[in-house]
Amino acid sequence: MRKNEHLTNTMVYPNFFDEDKITHCLSNSTYLGPGIPVQIRTCSIYVINDNDDIVKYINEFIKKINNKFYNFDIVDIDGEDIPKRFEYTSAENGKFDEHLDIGSNPQSSTRKISYSIQLTDGDEYEGGDLVFWPKSTYNSPELRKMRRQKGSIIFFPSYMVHAVTPVTKGVRNALVGWVNGNPFR
């Protein structure tokens, strides 16, 4: 049996999305609705139109990361867990309280890897930090700044507790999605 030392690692890769992909996600999306439940999540959610190339690009990269670090039994991004744009605004005190991305319902019970792609420059808003528990080096100022860089992608196991702190000024946009696989056993 092999040991896996990456089961609680978050990983950040800057410049994952170029300006063309970012522009496509921001300007070519359809509003799905508010974040639900509103007590926990306050944001607007959008589906990206014509997303085949983006999904393929994300899939290929996640497979490489998974094979190198996590070694989870995963499948391609598909169905309800395709990437969606989450828009958090200061006007609505946009936030997402502490939560896990894995759950007991059929859609979330097989999530293995969560990811967030930063679509807004971190200088364009205040608050809106993606933070992790237990509080540790994952929340160091250097990593928080790296996660706020426009175009960066952040990976983490879907069972890690995380949150988006309230946006106090401006607007934060991120492309968020999940990769599924056979249930953990």
Side-chain angles (χ1 to χ4, degrees):
M1 187 170 302
R2 294 182 320 182
K3 183 177 180 181
N4 188 338
E5 297 183 12
H6 302 285
L7 293 177
T8 59
N9 285 9
T10 64
M11 296 176 214
V12 181
Y13 291 86
N15 305 312
F16 177 70
F17 263 17
D18 61 21
E19 199 60 44
D20 287 343
K21 286 182 181 65
I22 292 168
T23 300
H24 178 81
C25 291
L26 292 172
S27 63
N28 193 15
S29 55
T30 302
Y31 180 70
L32 288 178
I36 296 175
V38 292
Q39 309 90 296
I40 297 170
R41 176 173 55 190
T42 307
C43 67
S44 297
I45 301 175
Y46 298 81
V47 66
I48 308 304
N49 303 319
D50 303 319
N51 66 8
D52 291 346
D53 290 341
I54 287 174
V55 169
K56 182 179 178 185
Y57 181 73
I58 296 169
N59 257 330
E60 289 172 2
F61 194 72
I62 287 177
K63 284 179 182 178
K64 289 177 191 173
I65 295 303
N66 182 59
N67 289 338
K68 186 172 181 178
F69 296 105
Y70 299 125
N71 292 304
F72 293 151
D73 181 10
I74 62 171
V75 295
D76 287 346
I77 299 167
D78 194 23
E80 291 295 315
D81 281 340
I82 59 169
K84 295 175 182 68
R85 180 167 63 91
F86 283 40
E87 183 176 82
Y88 302 89
T89 67
S90 59
E92 296 177 338
N93 197 31
K95 62 158 177 107
F96 201 161
D97 292 339
E98 299 87 23
H99 66 284
L100 307 170
D101 289 341
I102 193 169
S104 59
N105 70 51
Q107 178 184 341
S108 65
S109 68
T110 59
R111 288 178 178 166
K112 300 288 184 85
I113 300 172
S114 300
Y115 61 91
S116 179
I117 303 168
Q118 185 73 10
L119 300 176
T120 310
D121 190 297
D123 295 335
E124 294 178 15
Y125 62 93
E126 293 177 7
D129 286 313
L130 177 59
V131 294
F132 295 90
W133 280 265
K135 293 188 177 187
S136 65
T137 57
Y138 303 131
N139 297 317
S140 71
E142 297 82 19
L143 284 177
R144 286 175 104 167
K145 183 176 180 179
M146 198 182 244
R147 289 193 294 260
R148 291 175 70 96
Q149 288 178 355
K150 190 175 186 179
S152 65
I153 187 169
I154 302 97
F155 296 100
F156 53 95
S158 297
Y159 51 72
M160 287 186 69
V161 178
H162 60 286
V164 175
T165 62
V167 173
T168 57
K169 182 179 178 184
V171 177
R172 175 187 188 263
N173 277 282
L175 191 65
V176 176
W178 308 270
V179 178
N180 294 275
N182 289 319
F184 285 111
R185 53 186 173 126

